[in-house]
Every structure is written in C-alpha cells, then in structure tokens.
Amino acid sequence: MTHPFLDLAPLSAAHFAAVEDRVARLLGTEQDVVIMQGEALLPLEGCIKGAAGPGTTALNVITGPYGQTFGNWLRDCGATVIDLSVPFHTAVTAEQVRAAFAAHPEIDFVSLVHAEAATGNTNPVAEIGAVVREHGALFMLDAVASVAAEPLLPDAWGVDLCVIGAQKAMGGPAGVSAVSVSERAWQRIAANPKAPRRSYLSLLDWKERWVDGGRKALLHAPAQLEMLALEACVERIENEGLDAVMARHATAAAATRAGALALGGGLEPYVHEAVDAAPVATTLRVPAGVDASQLVAKALAADPVLPLVAGGGSLAQEMIRVNHYGPDATRGVVHASLAALGAALGEAGLTVDLEAARRAVTDAWK
C-alpha cells in the first residue's frame, strides 16, 4: 500500500545542505546556517545553553511569554540575569536597552524576541542591535514569528544567533527550524565548558561534525517530511518574492486593525501603537464583561477554520488573536475573521457595524 508521505527516497546530505543554503539566502546571511530537527524551541534552548553559563551576565528583554522562558533557561545555566520587562501592549526601545547597559556594563549577552505572536507586538531590532554592538555583547534573536512577515537582516543588525521557524509567516511545518550562527557566537560556545556536547541540544556537534566536515555526513537521520516541507515553503516564498510576502502580511495587519476599529462593539487593538504591532498577528482587547475565549468559541462555531484564538494564560479572558500569517495573510481571511467576531459580538448584545468593518478592510487592502 503506497502513501505520499511514506516510502520516500532517502534525503542525502547534499540535499540537506542545499536546503540550508536556501534558508541562508532567505535570511540574506553569510553566517553558518544550521537546520535543526525539531520545533524552534530546540535551537532557542540550544543557543542559550551553548552561549551562556555561570560567568554570563545576560540582559533578557521580556515583551511576551517567550522572553520569560528565555530568562528561566538563562538562570538554569547559572547566568546572572537582568530582566528588562515592558508592558505587553508596547515594544521595548533602544533607549531602554542602552539604559540597561549603562546600569550594568558587565552585560555580555542579550536575548530578544523580534515579534511576539502571543501578544501581537514587534521590537525595533535594527536600533537595538546597534546598541548591543556598541557594548560588544553577544546578541540572540528569536525571529520565529517575524521571518517572512517583516524585514529580518541578521548580518546588518549584528545578530549573532538568529533562530527561525517555518510554521508562521513562512507557511511551513512546525517540526523543523534553523539558526544562523556568527563566528563570534561559535567562539563563545566553544569556550563554554557547560555548552551541551553529544546532545540533541548541541550546536557544537553540528559545528564540528557537520559544518567543519564540509557538510558531507549528517549527525543523524534527517526528519525527511519536515525537510521536504521546509524546502517547499522556501520555494513558495522565492516564487512569490520575499518583498511581496512581507507586504501581504503588513497589509493584513493594517486591514485587521482598521477593520476591528471600524467594527466597534468595544473591540480595541491590544497593542496601542500601530508601529509596535506585529504584521504576523493582530491582538484585540474585548470589552468589559465579555469573555474572549467564549467570544472566539462563538465565532469559530460558524467557521471553525478561521485563524482566531483567545489569549494564553491570564490573557484568555481579555484578548483575541487574529493569526493572519502564511496562507491566512489574505483579504478574504481578514474579512471572514472580523465578520465572525462581529456576529459573535452582536449575539452578546453589543452594537457592531459589519459594513463599516468591511469597507475599512477593503480600503486598507488597496
């Protein structure tokens, strides 16, 4: 019995390396790119465990839940952690990072999330990277939710460890990820006696056995389906054009924000300033007395494939997230999402203007 997902020809080392090269071109980087065989938390943890240790003083920027996770990992490594937290409805600024360096000149590692899909904000990485470079710290960036949705230039911005995943704006699988690694980062990891070795978390294993070996022999059997899917989604981005893909995401975000404001019913953008809002997802605050998770459930009852979710954790009752990324960054999806939310708000007894929302979305897409 045959199946398109089964009985595939083996994925060669040369094919694996070719996919890495296409990812490197997508990032516009001259750094080493290593594809890792798991969801993006794998290289994110591997970067922190590899580059940080008891002698590290880390500035951990928290603009959402992933920043909180990075702080926990850094502390587990024995690093001294200085958390820079900002309200989740805004973005961190380069001036705040500069002030942290002034207060703690010993900082030698900075971790930052580019875009937080969970809270809907995005951070000014270019400006922050310039500050980090001035102080000589190693710079790790989580770009999982920003790659292909907004500009991402790890080399120009001085990013030493840039982690991406395919499952959001790239429109690919969740089970494979990649990290670009600067020469400075390789040196830091190699000098860290606590860096994972002979481990699935080990970047050094990939460096010594794969990169330095001329990418001739893989460390283990590749995740074949995920690799083929990653190659396909990169090819789709190449065919559409990266600029066009990013423009589509930016337009979807602008249209969702404008449509939600025109819809009424008490919905408000969770991220206060549009400039701080991520193009990959728009977060909305529900009116007082309305439970966001119940509102989303009503909206999805009419159309269960819409990219609507309630906020996570403590935000579940007050936040709605419209995940307009990848194939959902389209005018039709934005129209349908707001129409479903409007209908659910109407059922809750709130006054909405579906036609005004439709016009706002249409105008934003022109």
Side-chain angles (χ1 to χ4, degrees), residues 16-356:
F16 193 103
V19 178
E20 285 184 334
D21 290 341
R22 293 178 86 162
V23 172
R25 287 196 296 273
L26 177 69
L27 296 176
T29 183
E30 298 296 323
Q31 300 175 357
D32 290 326
V33 169
V34 176
I35 292 177
M36 300 196 73
Q37 304 289 276
E39 199 269 338
L41 285 175
L42 171 64
L44 286 167
E45 185 174 0
C47 287
I48 287 177
K49 295 288 176 69
T56 302
T57 300
L59 175 64
N60 180 51
V61 181
I62 301 176
T63 59
Y66 284 101
Q68 294 171 327
T69 297
F70 298 164
N72 293 334
W73 286 341
L74 285 161
R75 290 181 178 89
D76 289 344
C77 291
T80 299
V81 182
I82 297 152
D83 286 327
L84 172 53
S85 299
V86 301
F88 290 176
H89 63 258
T90 187
V92 71
T93 67
E95 289 71 26
Q96 289 171 310
V97 173
R98 191 183 302 279
F101 273 107
H104 301 277
E106 69 275 18
I107 292 169
D108 61 358
F109 182 91
V110 176
S111 52
L112 174 70
V113 178
H114 190 178
E116 286 267 13
T119 48
N121 55 28
T122 191
N123 293 301
V125 181
E127 291 85 351
I128 292 168
V131 175
V132 176
R133 282 199 304 276
E134 287 175 17
H135 292 83
L138 204 74
F139 189 14
M140 185 194 88
L141 184 69
D142 173 350
V144 174
S146 59
V147 62
E150 56 187 298
L152 175 60
L153 303 168
D155 290 11
W157 296 346
V159 178
D160 295 290
L161 295 159
C162 183
V163 174
I164 67 166
Q167 68 266 33
K168 289 188 168 64
M170 291 178 68
V176 65
S177 49
V179 54
S180 64
V181 187
S182 72
E183 184 56 36
R184 214 161 63 104
W186 282 132
Q187 292 172 4
R188 174 78 73 91
I189 296 168
N192 180 8
K194 296 289 188 179
R197 290 166 169 81
R198 296 171 297 282
S199 163
Y200 210 58
L201 286 172
S202 177
L203 289 172
L204 272 182
D205 287 356
W206 284 97
K207 167 69 170 170
E208 295 170 356
R209 297 170 56 191
W210 173 245
V211 177
D212 292 348
R215 299 192 297 177
K216 301 295 185 184
L218 288 161
L219 275 64
H220 44 66
Q224 195 163 351
L225 286 173
E226 287 80 3
M227 286 297 296
L228 294 174
L230 174 62
E231 182 179 40
C233 79
V234 173
E235 182 174 357
R236 185 166 61 183
I237 292 169
E238 291 170 347
N239 290 337
E240 184 177 352
L242 180 58
D243 288 345
V245 175
M246 291 190 295
R248 180 162 52 82
H249 282 82
T251 303
T256 304
R257 189 178 185 92
L261 288 168
L263 180 65
L267 280 184
E268 296 179 353
Y270 181 82
V271 177
H272 292 182
E273 301 296 331
V275 69
D276 296 333
V280 73
T282 296
T283 47
L284 302 169
R285 190 184 299 276
V286 299
V290 174
D291 185 292
S293 59
Q294 293 179 8
L295 192 70
V296 167
K298 288 182 180 179
L300 292 178
D303 190 347
V305 302
L306 291 175
L308 300 172
V309 294
S314 62
L315 297 174
Q317 293 185 327
E318 64 182 82
M319 178 197 284
I320 293 170
R321 195 167 85 222
V322 185
N323 290 326
H324 43 68
Y325 53 71
D328 287 329
T330 66
R331 177 165 51 184
V333 168
V334 173
H335 273 307
S337 296
L338 291 174
L341 289 175
L345 286 166
E347 287 182 29
L350 296 163
T351 301
V352 295
D353 191 337
L354 292 171
E355 180 56 25

